[in-house]
Amino acid sequence: MKKGANQPLFFWAKSGDLHMILSEFLASAYHVSPHALVLGHPVEHSRSPLIHNTAARDRKIDITYYAVDCIPEERYLIPKLFESESFFGANITIPLKKEISGYLDEIDGPAKAIGAVNTVVPVRNPNTGDVSVRQKPDKLIGYNTDVYGFAKPLEKYQTFKKAIILGSGGAARAVQYVLENKHVSTIYVVSRTKTGKKSNNILKKNLGENFGDASSRERNPDFPAENTEVVTISYDELGQALKESDILVNTTPVGMHPNIEESPVPDNLMPLFSDKICYDIIYNPLQTRLLKKAKKHGAITIGGLDMFIYQAARAFELWFQTPMPVDKVREILMTKS
Ligand code: NAP
């Protein structure tokens, strides 16, 4: 365990030093007092401890949130982590978002459709979120709160005719799921590696599943969401797609710290952004080069910080049955980024 491990919560939350490997965590006193955590590999630079410890203190919830590094040879310890009487929630990050479902009892609809769980909710009966109740969870449910986080800043926009998603990884699927739910007619997924492959409409593929309350799925009789056409294209075709579309979402890591001078869209295409929405889910830096340039050319721009905050807010609410203090969390993230 790291130096300073016996310091009280206020020290941890200030230093952000809440990081240890899974076996260390299970052997420590932290494991037997109320806790939540982010589990993945690596997790050292995760901002989630800062978010959730700030929120818990503000809401006077007596819990500490840790970053627990699950190295591949310690995966067998995951069930021990989840069956603890003191376990009140987990965020799941790379590389466990898919395989974590094997440790859970239920997967919520959107998480199942997307194929990625980023939040684990231990359910006790009654499910009050009260951290003074010590009892082994009755069941574990997996959610994908990126869906909610991505959708939140788009709430004020009804729908889009055509949309572009740059990248085809995990976050891209959550974005696609939301755009399908907004009844977009065509989604262009721009990929370096998957061109020529058939793309699937996520909703159509999962028709008949129970999508749960987090899906925000609304039936539009004129244009059912499962009618969205999803087409994978190459970067050579981006210019034409941009002319036709009203929103572009960057889900690639291009432009992320420390490579802040990079952009996934070449400069010669930037004038096409006039009056369109440019949404970059990167939150470090807050304004990527792509967003800065798009704004200069008349785009409405949305950065990734709100998505990051609202995916956390949804998890917090699922765990503790109370809203996260979103403004307080935004303030602390802005001062410490
Ligand atoms: P991922 O699974 O690795 O997917 C990223 C995709 O981007 C890849 O599948 C790849 O698609 C493309 N890509 C990767 N490197 C590239 C490069 N050098 N040039 C062009 N394209 C490249 O990662 P992810 O989990 O989806 O996350 C992607 C980004 O979203 C990260 O920057 C992450 O920090 C951010 N994110 C933000 C939030 C938030 O709350 N704001 C949440 C989740 C993720 P192709 O191979 O098809 O080109």
Side-chain angles (χ1 to χ4, degrees):
M1 200 173 303
K2 286 199 164 187
K3 196 172 152 227
N6 293 321
Q7 300 286 343
L9 170 60
F10 70 86
F11 171 83
W12 286 107
K14 273 187 181 162
S15 68
D17 191 6
L18 294 138
H19 171 239
M20 58 200 92
I21 65 167
L22 180 50
S23 54
E24 283 178 334
F25 180 71
L26 291 172
S28 74
Y30 304 123
H31 172 237
V32 290
S33 56
H35 60 267
L37 50 101
V38 53
L39 187 71
H41 177 67
V43 289
E44 196 164 3
H45 299 294
S46 171
R47 309 290 277 163
S48 295
L50 181 64
I51 292 182
H52 289 291
N53 285 322
T54 300
R57 273 190 297 160
D58 187 77
R59 287 282 181 252
K60 304 202 169 14
I61 299 169
D62 189 15
I63 193 162
T64 308
Y65 184 106
Y66 301 90
V68 177
D69 198 325
C70 184
I71 53 176
E73 51 277 36
E74 291 194 352
R75 283 185 189 171
Y76 75 98
L77 291 170
I78 293 175
K80 189 163 182 227
L81 184 71
F82 288 166
E83 70 189 23
S84 164
E85 292 180 348
S86 308
F87 169 62
F88 285 91
N91 288 126
I92 305 299
T93 188
I94 290 166
L96 295 171
K97 285 186 179 187
K98 261 200 177 91
E99 68 172 277
I100 204 70
S101 59
Y103 299 91
L104 307 177
D105 302 299
E106 266 176 42
I107 312 292
D108 183 54
K112 199 187 280 179
I114 290 161
V117 165
N118 77 338
T119 300
V120 174
V121 179
V123 178
R124 296 171 173 88
N125 196 6
N127 192 31
T128 59
D130 179 354
V131 299
S132 66
V133 175
R134 300 302 164 78
Q135 176 185 317
K136 202 176 147 186
D138 295 316
K139 65 176 175 183
L140 301 163
I141 307 181
Y143 290 84
N144 187 304
T145 66
D146 281 342
V147 166
Y148 178 81
F150 174 73
K152 190 75 183 157
L154 290 181
E155 267 179 1
K156 53 183 174 233
Y157 304 99
Q158 281 280 306
T159 187
F160 309 105
K161 274 202 315 280
K162 296 189 178 185
I164 297 171
I165 302 174
L166 302 182
S168 65
R173 284 187 63 76
V175 168
Q176 183 185 327
Y177 181 84
V178 172
L179 293 174
E180 285 179 11
N181 270 290
K182 283 184 102 59
H183 308 280
V184 171
S185 68
T186 306
I187 298 173
Y188 295 111
V189 177
V190 188
S191 169
R192 301 160 308 165
T193 54
K194 294 186 185 154
T195 43
K197 286 194 185 160
K198 196 175 171 312
S199 296
N200 281 313
N201 175 309
I202 294 173
L203 289 174
K204 192 173 188 171
K205 193 164 164 258
N206 292 275
L207 220 55
E209 293 279 357
N210 168 21
F211 279 88
D213 67 334
S215 71
S216 73
R217 188 179 188 200
E218 285 161 24
R219 283 263 162 196
N220 174 350
D222 299 329
F223 186 81
E226 54 270 22
N227 280 6
T228 299
E229 185 189 22
V230 185
V231 185
T232 306
I233 61 170
S234 72
Y235 278 85
D236 292 341
E237 298 163 281
L238 176 58
Q240 183 54 40
L242 202 46
K243 280 181 198 153
E244 297 170 20
S245 302
D246 20 47
I247 178 169
L248 173 142
V249 184
N250 176 40
T251 74
T252 78
V254 181
M256 193 163 81
H257 181 81
N259 303 313
I260 59 170
E261 286 310 318
E262 293 178 4
S263 168
V265 180
D267 283 354
N268 64 315
L269 297 185
M270 295 312 292
L272 296 173
F273 270 104
S274 176
D275 293 331
K276 298 184 196 283
I277 295 178
C278 184
Y279 190 159
D280 196 335
I281 69 166
I282 289 173
Y283 55 88
N284 183 15
L286 296 174
Q287 287 285 314
T288 57
R289 180 186 161 100
L290 171 65
L291 289 186
K292 283 186 198 156
K293 292 231 163 195
K295 192 168 193 169
K296 229 163 117 186
H297 287 283
I300 299 162
T301 57
I302 306 171
L305 186 68
D306 273 351
M307 174 177 173
F308 186 52
I309 291 172
Y310 282 106
Q311 61 77 29
R314 177 82 182 134
F316 191 88
E317 201 166 332
L318 286 165
W319 297 331
F320 306 121
Q321 314 280 317
T322 186
M324 192 177 90
V326 166
D327 292 339
K328 184 122 197 168
V329 164
R330 184 179 289 108
E331 189 188 314
I332 197 123
L333 284 172
M334 302 283 278
T335 52
K336 297 201 179 225
S337 61

